[in-house]
Amino acid sequence: MRPRSTAAHRPLLLLTTLACLLLALATGLVVAVKSVFPELALTALPMQILRPLHTLASIGCLFVGICALFLFAGREAGARGTRALGLALAVLTLTFLPAAALSVLIGEGSGKEYVSWSPALTTLLVVMFVLLVVSFFANLRAFVGASPEAAWLIGLGLLCIPLGLVEANFYRAVGPSYAKEISFDWHAMDIIFAGWSATLYGFGILIAGGPAKPLRATWLYALAAFTFVSTFGHHHYLSPQAQVIKIIALTASMMAGVSFLRHVREVFRVRGLTASGPLAPFLRTVETWTLVAIGSGILLAVPQVNLVLHGTYAIVAHSMGAMIGVDVVLVLGGLAYYLRPLEAPTVARLSRYMRWLNIGLALVWIDLVVAGLLKGVLRFEQIHAAYQPVVLRVLFPLPVLGLLVAVPLVLVAIELLRQVAAHRRSPVPSTVRASAPEPGGSGPS
Amino acid sequence: MILAYAGYVLAIALLDGSSVAGASVPVGGDTVGGDPVSGYLAGGHTWRQHGCQTCHSIYGLGGHAGPDLTNVFRRIPDSQVRHVILDGHLGMPAFDLTEGELQGLIDYLVFIGETGAYPPQSIRDPVFGFAP
């Protein structure tokens, strides 16, 4: 049995991940209410603080979740130096999160989408991810030994995130050029999105178990790197960005069709192979929403569709489907995996909660897409003041539908907290954990 | 990966905005405000400092609670924009800005308004936007 002090940073990071998730859910529900009733509590609950707080908490959940999963995965793979790394990560995250929240609350945030905290605090995040990158490459053999494909995804993703965080501040250096400012802003965000998704997919492959997937042809990885760097440019078709960048983005986005077809196959494969595994509900949810995210992303990248749906709630549906249905579920599934063994009643409850989450998320997704489609069509003929009341009528159920997403996620968080408490009462020797049932089959690819 | 990323960032930094040949920004409305270029940086700071992007978008990127402001001065006059910012309107709170901050913000939006056109006015609009 390990002495408690050497493992303290892992539960601490796990608890911080769940705290961020709960804050994201709470602020998200308030934002949903304010979106439908914009005149409600204008001063007491200003949107300029609520939304940045919501995105900070959401991103915090994913970033800290990545830290926690890295430490758990590193321990199991036999990586070295994870104790010191864990301590550093705990200090950095527990410094960054309250400081970032405070910067938003007192109006000293960046004013930017997603990267909403004070720019100076980004340094802490960059240091955090540089430490992760260094640790990863120092223990490359251990991670590759666990799964070559997972290692490649985790390494690529961890590289992307600090690059994007640094790029998010490039707008300060471009002078009076709005085209470049908006290009750097959103390319930075897109690289960060791609980074955390790749990293979490890598962990998903590790937790799914089964035979380790070998590396594939080099050209496929070159293609992946190209799409990582350029695909999200479809955000900018209508902005004054250089034409060549838009064409590169269109090309890269259409290449995602290859990934879509592979995930269609994976949805059916995962259903069959993980039917009885404790993580089956998480993995099925991830594969299903990966399909939805990639499919909707490809559609949104078609310029004629983009013309109608860009700048509408359809984009919010796409990003929420991906962030919640894929990224958050991967974090929670990963944490559940590393807190194994899971008792049968716990597995049954988790399965039920994931079912509820899928229903709630699907309803939210549909509501946002319908609202987005309506806005996209109506704005050709009408000004905002004319079409917005119609859009708000469609969005009316959103706060209630949001509850259908929040409640199952809270219940999953409570189950994970119970697991942490159970482990503290009766620490599980690593030999028992190592022999705990594997979910079997392959995970996200 | 690093090389691809560096190349792409360089492309963003070096390439100027452009669009489909022959598609130019539709002209309409009054151009108002002071000197857009000199006010751009100050106005951008005010824009970020007050979290305008949480509710408003530019080129569709940003919040959805309020209208897109890319070409706001083609739709409504300067005086109305000032009134909405200082006194609030419907779901928008009032903002206590100095005259300098307000003018900077207006210069910022005027500058942006000259870079292109958004939102699209027709399903037949150029799918890659308009040239400035």
Side-chain angles (χ1 to χ4, degrees):
Chain A
M1 180 181 114
R2 282 208 179 94
R4 199 169 141 178
S5 61
T6 63
H9 49 259
R10 281 195 294 273
L12 188 61
L13 289 171
L14 186 153
L15 292 173
T16 306
T17 302
L18 296 180
C20 287
L21 175 66
L22 296 176
L23 181 61
L25 293 173
T27 49
L29 284 173
V30 180
V31 167
V33 172
K34 288 273 291 177
S35 296
V36 178
F37 303 104
E39 295 175 59
L40 189 67
L42 267 184
T43 313
L45 296 171
M47 206 60 136
Q48 312 92 273
I49 288 178
L50 280 171
R51 266 198 76 209
L53 211 53
H54 172 64
T55 53
L56 167 64
S58 307
I59 292 174
C61 172
L62 297 184
F63 280 177
V64 184
I66 284 172
C67 293
L69 291 176
F70 187 93
L71 293 172
F72 281 121
R75 179 190 65 178
E76 291 210 355
R80 292 188 290 190
T82 56
R83 192 188 313 174
L85 175 67
L87 196 59
L89 292 177
V91 169
L92 287 166
T93 53
L94 292 178
T95 305
F96 168 76
L97 287 170
L102 186 63
S103 73
V104 168
L105 286 169
I106 63 174
E108 290 298 321
S110 68
K112 294 283 187 179
E113 282 273 282
Y114 293 103
V115 190
S116 56
W117 50 86
S118 171
L121 294 173
T122 299
T123 313
L124 294 173
L125 288 179
V126 172
V127 170
M128 192 167 93
F129 280 98
V130 166
L131 288 175
L132 283 168
V133 168
V134 167
S135 176
F136 173 79
F137 283 103
N139 292 287
L140 186 60
R141 194 168 291 186
F143 282 101
V144 171
S147 165
E149 188 176 36
W152 190 87
L153 281 168
I154 293 170
L156 179 68
L158 288 177
L159 269 176
C160 282
I161 296 171
L163 288 175
L165 288 169
V166 171
E167 189 184 351
N169 287 289
F170 281 8
Y171 69 92
R172 296 166 179 276
V174 297
S177 168
Y178 191 72
K180 290 176 186 172
E181 179 181 333
I182 200 173
S183 296
F184 278 127
D185 278 352
W186 284 89
H187 185 249
M189 276 319 308
D190 299 337
I191 287 286
I192 294 171
F193 294 155
W196 75 45
S197 292
T199 308
L200 288 170
Y201 267 122
F203 289 126
I205 289 173
L206 286 179
I207 70 172
K213 283 187 177 179
L215 290 175
R216 300 168 206 228
T218 309
W219 72 270
L220 270 176
Y221 290 97
L223 191 65
F226 164 68
T227 56
F228 262 56
V229 166
S230 59
T231 184
F232 292 94
H234 59 248
H235 292 158
H236 301 279
Y237 290 163
L238 297 168
S239 77
Q241 199 177 33
Q243 183 83 339
V244 64
I245 289 178
K246 298 176 186 181
I247 292 172
I248 291 172
L250 173 60
T251 308
S253 299
M254 293 304 108
M255 285 180 182
V258 172
S259 184
F260 180 81
L261 291 173
R262 292 181 63 243
H263 279 284
V264 168
R265 190 189 67 191
E266 280 303 309
V267 165
F268 294 103
R269 213 150 76 95
V270 166
R271 278 181 193 281
L273 292 177
T274 62
S276 59
L279 294 183
F282 293 95
L283 297 175
R284 280 199 293 265
T285 299
V286 166
E287 273 302 335
T288 303
W289 284 99
T290 296
L291 208 62
V292 171
I294 296 179
S296 59
I298 293 171
L299 268 179
L300 290 168
V302 174
Q304 287 77 8
V305 176
N306 193 274
L307 189 76
V308 179
L309 293 182
H310 176 71
T312 73
Y313 281 107
I315 308 300
V316 179
H318 168 70
S319 65
M320 283 187 66
M323 276 190 78
I324 298 175
V326 180
D327 298 325
V328 170
V329 173
L330 276 171
V331 168
L332 296 177
L335 294 176
Y337 173 74
Y338 290 114
L339 288 172
R340 68 188 190 283
L342 301 172
E343 303 291 334
T346 302
V347 173
R349 282 194 296 270
L350 287 173
S351 179
R352 195 180 322 133
Y353 302 153
M354 293 310 299
R355 213 165 29 245
W356 295 347
L357 173 65
N358 278 304
I359 293 170
L361 192 55
L363 291 172
V364 166
W365 197 90
I366 290 168
D367 190 31
L368 289 170
V369 166
V370 171
L373 205 55
L374 204 56
K375 174 179 175 178
V377 171
L378 290 177
R379 69 182 173 185
F380 287 135
E381 301 290 331
Q382 299 175 19
I383 61 172
H384 180 267
Y387 66 68
Q388 187 70 350
V390 181
V391 172
L392 289 183
R393 276 201 284 276
V394 172
L395 284 179
F396 188 76
L398 186 64
V400 174
L401 299 179
L403 266 178
L404 298 182
V405 171
V407 168
L409 287 173
V410 170
L411 292 172
V412 170
I414 291 172
E415 285 301 326
L416 294 178
L417 289 172
R418 281 194 183 134
Q419 281 294 110
V420 172
H423 276 239
R424 289 177 80 82
R425 280 196 302 272
S426 318
V428 179
S430 56
T431 48
V432 172
R433 192 179 295 111
S435 64
E438 297 285 343
S442 62
S445 60
Chain B
M1 166 64 202
I2 302 273
L3 285 176
Y5 174 79
Y8 197 84
V9 167
L10 208 57
I12 294 174
L14 295 177
L15 294 172
D16 292 324
S18 62
S19 187
V20 178
S24 56
V25 176
V27 177
D30 297 325
T31 300
V32 295
D35 175 2
V37 174
S38 64
Y40 177 81
L41 291 175
H45 175 74
T46 304
W47 172 269
R48 288 185 293 275
Q49 188 178 40
H50 293 278
C52 303
Q53 202 145 1
T54 54
C55 294
H56 293 286
S57 56
I58 295 179
Y59 286 107
L61 297 167
H64 303 289
D68 187 272
L69 299 181
T70 309
N71 301 130
V72 60
F73 291 109
R74 291 192 196 151
R75 298 190 301 272
I76 58 179
D78 171 63
S79 55
Q80 191 173 339
V81 170
R82 286 172 176 270
H83 161 69
V84 168
I85 292 173
L86 293 176
D87 301 324
H89 179 65
L90 296 177
M92 175 166 167
F95 287 89
D96 184 22
L97 301 185
T98 64
E99 176 55 32
E101 287 173 328
L102 187 57
Q103 188 58 54
L105 197 53
I106 288 171
D107 291 344
Y108 180 71
L109 291 173
V110 167
F111 186 96
I112 289 169
E114 298 303 314
T115 59
Y118 188 85
Q121 301 298 303
S122 162
I123 194 78
R124 284 178 289 278
D125 277 1
V127 293
F128 278 0
F130 293 96

